[in-house]
Amino acid sequence: MTAQDKMASLFLPGVPVNHILQRLTDAGGKEIESGKLASPESSAALAVNCFGWFIPRLHLLPSFPDLEEVGRVQLVDVEFCARFPWSGGRHPWLDAVIQTSSMLIGVESKRYEPFRDAKKVDLSPAYDRDVWGPNMRRFEDLRDQLRSGETKFEYLDGAQLLKHAFGLVTEGRRRDRVPVLAYIYAEPRTRSGKPIDAEMIREHRAEADRFGNSVAGDDVRFIHSSYRDWLAHWNEGNPELTAHRDRVVERFDP
């Protein structure tokens, strides 16, 4: 098998491979060069295959749980940079973006990370700038609580989600769209052949609920769902869509 064939084998049928590869290259995360995209635990592979398929099929994108009347879908893409209201420094990258006639939905996708990676709170003084608007106080309060240790998450990367929210509120204003942060996560049954404790999965969900309750009412709306729950509600009446869903489940067992 050639290197090109190996790369193509990482993608499901119907996914615009060249576009996805260019987006991954532009994002600078070195998912391709590092070999991370080909890893059996690759989170990026799940996200770009699941969401990338909709790039040329906007009308087939299923709605998310707890998100009603999003408007007409105008754009789906992967590897989206939600830029802060300043030019220098690092800006957050989300795994996917959906722009509709009324909303800007940034997607943060997780696979094994909640049950594998140690969570760090790295929030520089730049996040204290008075630029987020008057209705982001709950996010700002949570920022301070994470820094002080008053609030802690064991499985959820709360600091990363905060950064995404600050980027999305800025992008939402630029685009005149309501900003939404959608946290979509896998709940794998095993890792390296060993079962993942069901209690860890429950605790992760509880932390996502707790994060959402902490910021409810601010300008950035936070929603969360497992891939499994979301995929289960895809339109059974569309064979093209359900075939893609079945391939996602077969390849990634999310």
Side-chain angles (χ1 to χ4, degrees):
M1 181 182 289
T2 66
Q4 186 174 3
D5 289 338
K6 287 181 181 178
M7 184 60 65
S9 71
L10 300 178
F11 297 96
L12 296 175
V15 173
V17 175
N18 291 336
H19 177 84
I20 298 296
L21 292 176
Q22 188 61 56
R23 295 295 294 172
L24 288 168
T25 300
D26 292 344
K30 297 186 178 180
E31 294 284 347
I32 302 169
E33 303 94 310
S34 67
K36 289 189 289 185
L37 188 67
S39 166
E41 294 191 1
S42 174
S43 177
L46 170 58
V48 298
N49 273 286
C50 183
F51 289 95
W53 187 82
F54 294 101
I55 291 172
R57 303 174 182 86
L58 305 180
H59 63 291
L60 292 181
L61 182 75
S63 61
F64 292 118
D66 302 322
L67 198 59
E68 315 82 17
E69 298 300 324
V70 300
R72 181 174 60 85
V73 178
Q74 300 171 327
L75 168 75
V76 177
D77 212 340
V78 297
E79 296 298 325
F80 171 67
C81 185
R83 295 190 63 85
F84 296 136
W86 56 77
S87 57
R90 300 177 66 180
H91 301 257
W93 286 85
L94 289 107
D95 294 299
V97 64
I98 297 126
Q99 181 170 301
T100 78
S101 54
S102 61
M103 293 183 177
L104 181 69
I105 305 167
V107 177
E108 177 57 27
S109 170
K110 295 296 185 190
R111 195 176 176 195
Y112 288 93
E113 296 94 334
F115 317 108
R116 180 188 67 195
D117 301 339
K119 307 304 177 291
K120 297 180 181 179
V121 177
D122 180 15
L123 295 164
S124 74
Y127 295 100
D128 297 334
R129 300 180 193 185
D130 187 18
V131 293
W132 311 121
N135 199 32
M136 288 291 284
R137 298 303 182 196
R138 295 172 182 87
F139 279 99
E140 292 178 291
D141 288 345
L142 185 55
R143 171 202 64 199
D144 298 340
Q145 292 163 15
L146 285 172
R147 275 187 182 140
S148 69
E150 180 183 348
T151 294
K152 295 180 180 180
F153 297 106
E154 184 174 357
Y155 304 103
L156 187 86
D157 193 338
Q160 183 188 49
L161 292 176
L162 281 174
K163 294 173 184 178
H164 289 339
F166 289 142
L168 282 169
V169 75
T170 308
E171 285 287 350
R173 292 189 188 114
R174 289 191 186 110
R175 300 175 185 228
D176 194 25
R177 301 289 190 280
V178 175
V180 178
L181 175 55
Y183 181 53
I184 311 297
Y185 45 86
E187 292 183 332
R189 299 179 178 90
T190 62
R191 181 177 177 232
S192 301
K194 297 180 180 179
I196 292 176
D197 189 343
E199 182 61 25
M200 295 169 67
I201 291 174
R202 286 191 290 271
E203 285 295 323
H204 173 242
R205 282 199 177 215
E207 288 185 353
D209 281 335
R210 181 154 59 89
F211 184 97
N213 291 335
S214 297
V215 299
D218 271 11
D219 280 344
V220 176
R221 182 173 175 182
F222 176 78
I223 62 170
H224 73 92
S225 171
S226 70
Y227 270 100
R228 202 172 299 276
D229 287 349
W230 181 44
L231 293 166
H233 290 90
W234 285 20
N235 182 4
E236 291 288 349
N238 189 301
E240 187 181 11
L241 179 61
T242 53
H244 177 55
R245 178 196 63 192
D246 294 345
R247 292 186 188 107
V248 170
V249 171
E250 182 180 4
R251 174 76 65 91
F252 298 102
D253 189 26

